Structures are given as structure tokens and as C-alpha cells.
Amino acid sequence: MSQPVYLDYSAATPVKPEVAEAMRPYLSQEFYNPSAIYLAAKHAKRQLDGIRQSAAVQLGAKPAEIIFTAGATEANNLAIQGLGRQYPGAEILISAVEHESVRAPAELFDSREVPVDEHGRILLNKLSNLISDKTLLVSVMLVNNEVGTVQPLSEVAALIGHIRRQRREKGNELPIYLHTDAAQAGNYFDLHVSRLGVDLMSVNGGKIYGPKQSGILYVKAGLKLWPLIVGGGQEFGLRSGTESLAAAAGLAKALDLAQNARGAESKRVTSLRDYFESRITELIPGAVTNGTKNHRSPHISNITFDGVDNERLLMELDERGVQCAAGSACSASSDEPSHVLMAMGLSREMAQSTLRFSLGAQTTKDQLDKAVSALRQILQADR
Ligand SMILES: Cc1ncc(COP(=O)(O)O)c(C=O)c1O
């Protein structure tokens, strides 16, 4: 059987050979615990410092602002719970299209969702109206994982800057911070924190051809968080547990490769995605692409096939060697329609007729032709 056509890069990316190479020394030779006191361990500690420095450079941050975590779920939880627990009674605002790993921790506190437009972009006027004197944190993802919608983060940052100045004038001492979940963004967008204007940012190694369970929470200097995991006090007291130099080195290498290639890769993947969507529009009557091309990451096509059950279509595609997703991987096992699509105004039925195809490093035109032809065969047999 020929190789399957993998169109689920939003769920997982294969580790690049250069990344595996960067990890290798720390698996066996340099296995030492960086907190130990003999020379070899001190050397490991210096290596970890270097890895942190390299990740910091890619994000335009200082090394002490980089907290290594086990993925983006943990980074999102550390950001939201680490702030929320310190300020009982304060409010958290999240966009209505956030990933579950932002929604669930936000729900532990007094939180509200900011509505989005039909393309999944946050409504800035609604955000502005929802911000109150008690708002502590606004969390808006950089790139949505189901539709690929890119959020107007710099406008959100400007609004928050304005609120901060107003608070200072009024003598309101409650801080207000901006967090972004950038888990889906690293391959195509600039992750420079000061250009983005964020105070907290989550990065995910497993989506940028690095190891799974590797991630970063960027925490702007001066911002105090409470740790979720306490113990030996590693990661500046914010994330106890013996550090994994292999995971950190893999993530830093993946970040370096992704950020340096993002211009060329964006162009390549955009042209493949546009080709895919134009073939679908041409050949599959009634198929509609969600989101707007102007504000969409190159790697995601979210397509509604009117009247078709997405779970069934997904399985039939799989039988024909095409791997894609119905919504996010995390909610794949639930029967609930996507909260992202519903927030964009799609009906339950339409949400349950929608598939996500996500492209990546090994995607070719030929693979996309195979996927379109499999879709045609299935849908024609249905009608
Ligand atoms: C936008 C977004 N945030 C957070 C996560 C969670 O990442 P992980 O499961 O690797 O912790 C994902 C994973 O799909 C994601 O797409």
C-alpha cells in the first residue's frame, strides 16, 4: 500500500532529523542532573543555560523569561492558574475560540468569553466593553488550531496598553496582562514577544517538528506567577522537577529551524493550501472553506461538506489512506460539535459536517490531489 497522505500537522509533527541530532547527546552522554554539584553536572547546567539562551533569542526574550514546560497545555495552565490563584475575585477574559487547555483553566476562575466574527476573529469592541476594573488577564491565541484564524494580537496589545494607562491614572493597582497561546504559530509567524506585545506566551515543541511534551512559557520580567508544580524549585521556582536537557535542546533547535524558515515555508504551504482549496471548490459541490484567507495561517483548511457526517467521512478517508481531523485532536473523542465553529456562527449540523486538513513540511501537490480524489470518490458514492 502506498504511504498515507498525512494532513493532520496541527495535531502532531514528526521530529526533524536535525532536532533528533540536537537531542541525542543529552540522552546518554550528557545525562547528568544539572542540579548536582560535580563538574559534569555543572557542565550540564551550563549547557541548559545555553539552550535557554538560544530559545530566548528566537523569541526576543531574556533567558530568565523562558520557562521550559511539558508542552503547551502546561504552559497555558501555568499562565492562567499561576496568575488567577494570586488574585481571587479578579476576572479572566478569553476569546471564544481558545483551545481546551486555555478554556479549562480559565473556567476555574471568574472568566468570560469574548465573541468572534464569522471568520473566528475576536471582536475588539466587545473585548473593550468586557474589560472591567477587575480584569486581570486577557488570553487570545495567535493562530486558531481548528480554522487557522490569525487573531489581531497587536490591536489587543494596544488596547491593553491603553487600559493600563487608564488604571494608573485612576489609581487601580490591579495589573492587566496579555497571554497568547502560540502553539500553532511557530512554523509560519514571528514569535518575537515585544513585536507581539504580549506578557505571557505559550509555545509548543510538538507542533514545530520538536519533541512532544516540550514547551515554553514566556513570562515577561517582573510578572509574578505562582507555580503549579512545586518541589525542587527548578525553572526559577516555576516548574519543579529535574530538567530534560534533551527536550529543551530539541525544542530550542526546532524553534530555531522554524523561525528561520518561516518566510519561505509560509509561501510554499500557502500555495499548496490555495491549490487544495481551489480543487475542492471546483470538484466538490457544496464544499465551503471556513475562515478568511486574509487572516488565516497557511497550514489549515477547515472545510464544511454540507449534509455529510464528518466522523464517517473521516473514517472513510482514513480507509483510503488520507489522515485528517474533525475539529481539534483533543475533542476528537467527544460528540460535541466544535465550539470554535459554533462561535463563528455555524449551526451544529454544519459543525458536524466539517473536517480540518492541516498541511506541513512533507505535504506535496500530489498528496493533495490524492486527498481530493478520495473525497470525490466518497462523496459521489454517497449521492
Ligand atoms: C492552540 C493549541 N494550544 C494548546 C495545545 C496543547 O498542546 P499539547 O497537547 O501539546 O500540550 C494545542 C494542541 O493541539 C493547540 O493546538
Side-chain angles (χ1 to χ4, degrees):
M1 203 177 124
S2 60
Q3 280 280 324
V5 174
Y6 181 68
L7 293 174
D8 202 16
Y9 285 87
S10 288
T13 53
V15 168
K16 286 201 165 148
E18 302 94 311
V19 170
E21 214 37 61
M23 294 172 72
R24 197 182 312 280
Y26 302 109
L27 296 171
S28 47
Q29 291 140 256
E30 299 259 6
F31 64 91
Y32 302 99
N33 185 329
S35 301
I37 50 172
Y38 34 84
L39 281 177
K42 286 194 173 136
H43 182 252
K45 171 78 178 69
R46 279 198 300 280
Q47 300 279 70
L48 180 61
D49 292 343
I51 293 166
R52 197 184 304 281
Q53 167 81 35
S54 146
V57 167
Q58 292 305 325
L59 304 183
K62 301 182 195 89
E65 296 173 320
I66 301 294
I67 310 301
F68 286 117
T69 64
T73 297
E74 187 188 321
N76 288 338
N77 271 271
L78 179 56
I80 295 169
Q81 296 200 52
L83 262 178
R85 282 162 49 223
Q86 280 177 74
Y87 297 91
E91 286 170 3
I92 293 174
L93 299 177
I94 66 170
S95 89
V97 295
E98 294 300 310
H99 187 265
E100 289 303 336
S101 58
V102 165
R103 286 160 69 82
E107 276 169 18
L108 301 173
F109 305 96
D110 186 358
S111 64
R112 275 187 231 178
E113 286 185 7
V114 186
V116 294
D117 67 13
E118 73 269 31
H119 303 304
R121 294 196 102 208
I122 192 168
L123 292 165
L124 289 164
N125 59 336
K126 301 271 185 203
L127 170 62
S128 172
N129 293 340
L130 279 169
I131 294 178
S132 77
D133 284 346
K134 292 203 292 182
T135 308
L136 167 68
L137 176 66
V138 175
S139 182
V140 177
M141 68 206 314
L142 187 48
V143 170
N144 177 265
N145 51 299
E146 289 187 39
V147 178
T149 302
V150 182
Q151 295 295 343
L153 211 57
S154 49
E155 276 110 309
V156 176
L159 175 63
I160 287 175
H162 175 69
I163 304 283
R164 235 174 238 148
R165 286 189 292 279
Q166 277 185 343
R167 280 195 186 173
R168 236 175 274 134
E169 283 161 21
K170 283 201 277 183
N172 178 352
E173 282 175 13
L174 183 73
I176 179 164
Y177 297 117
L178 174 59
H179 166 249
T180 194
D181 173 358
Q184 290 289 338
N187 294 318
Y188 308 102
F189 295 90
D190 182 11
L191 294 187
H192 196 285
V193 286
S194 50
R195 287 197 284 266
L196 290 171
V198 294
D199 304 296
L200 293 150
M201 179 170 77
S202 307
V203 175
N204 195 343
K207 314 284 187 195
I208 56 171
Y209 307 91
K212 292 180 190 60
Q213 293 278 314
S214 71
I216 288 172
L217 180 66
Y218 156 76
V219 185
K220 192 175 193 163
L223 195 164
K224 291 275 170 291
L225 286 182
W226 281 5
L228 289 182
I229 304 169
V230 288
Q234 290 90 344
E235 296 298 309
F236 311 104
L238 283 177
R239 207 272 180 181
S240 287
T242 303
E243 302 91 335
S244 168
L245 268 74
L251 169 57
K253 183 69 182 178
L255 194 56
D256 182 2
L257 294 173
Q259 286 289 288
N260 285 306
R262 69 184 166 79
E265 197 53 8
S266 286
K267 276 204 197 103
R268 189 186 70 83
V269 178
T270 300
S271 93
L272 284 171
R273 181 203 66 189
D274 289 352
Y275 172 74
F276 180 59
E277 290 177 4
S278 71
R279 293 301 283 161
I280 290 209
T281 314
E282 234 172 84
L283 298 171
I284 301 176
V288 176
T289 303
N290 299 305
T292 160
K293 264 194 189 150
N294 294 342
H295 301 293
R296 191 142 56 86
S297 180
H299 71 303
I300 299 182
S301 287
N302 182 285
I303 301 177
T304 303
F305 300 92
D306 193 21
V308 178
D309 176 61
N310 59 0
E311 299 281 332
R312 226 188 86 208
L313 183 53
L314 179 80
M315 285 187 285
E316 291 191 37
L317 281 169
D318 190 22
E319 279 166 21
R320 286 171 167 77
V322 178
Q323 299 162 335
C324 63
S328 88
C330 310
S331 53
S333 52
S334 94
D335 282 339
E336 276 307 294
S338 149
H339 71 276
V340 174
L341 297 176
M342 304 272 283
M344 289 164 60
L346 271 74
S347 64
R348 281 180 86 87
E349 292 69 33
M350 283 163 83
Q352 282 168 330
S353 300
T354 301
L355 289 183
R356 174 188 74 182
F357 301 90
S358 48
L359 287 59
Q362 274 119 33
T363 307
T364 61
K365 216 167 152 190
D366 182 47
Q367 290 180 342
L368 296 174
D369 284 335
K370 285 190 180 135
V372 175
S373 119
L375 273 166
R376 262 187 101 185
Q377 280 170 19
I378 299 165
L379 295 172
Q380 272 171 359
D382 257 12
R383 291 195 167 129

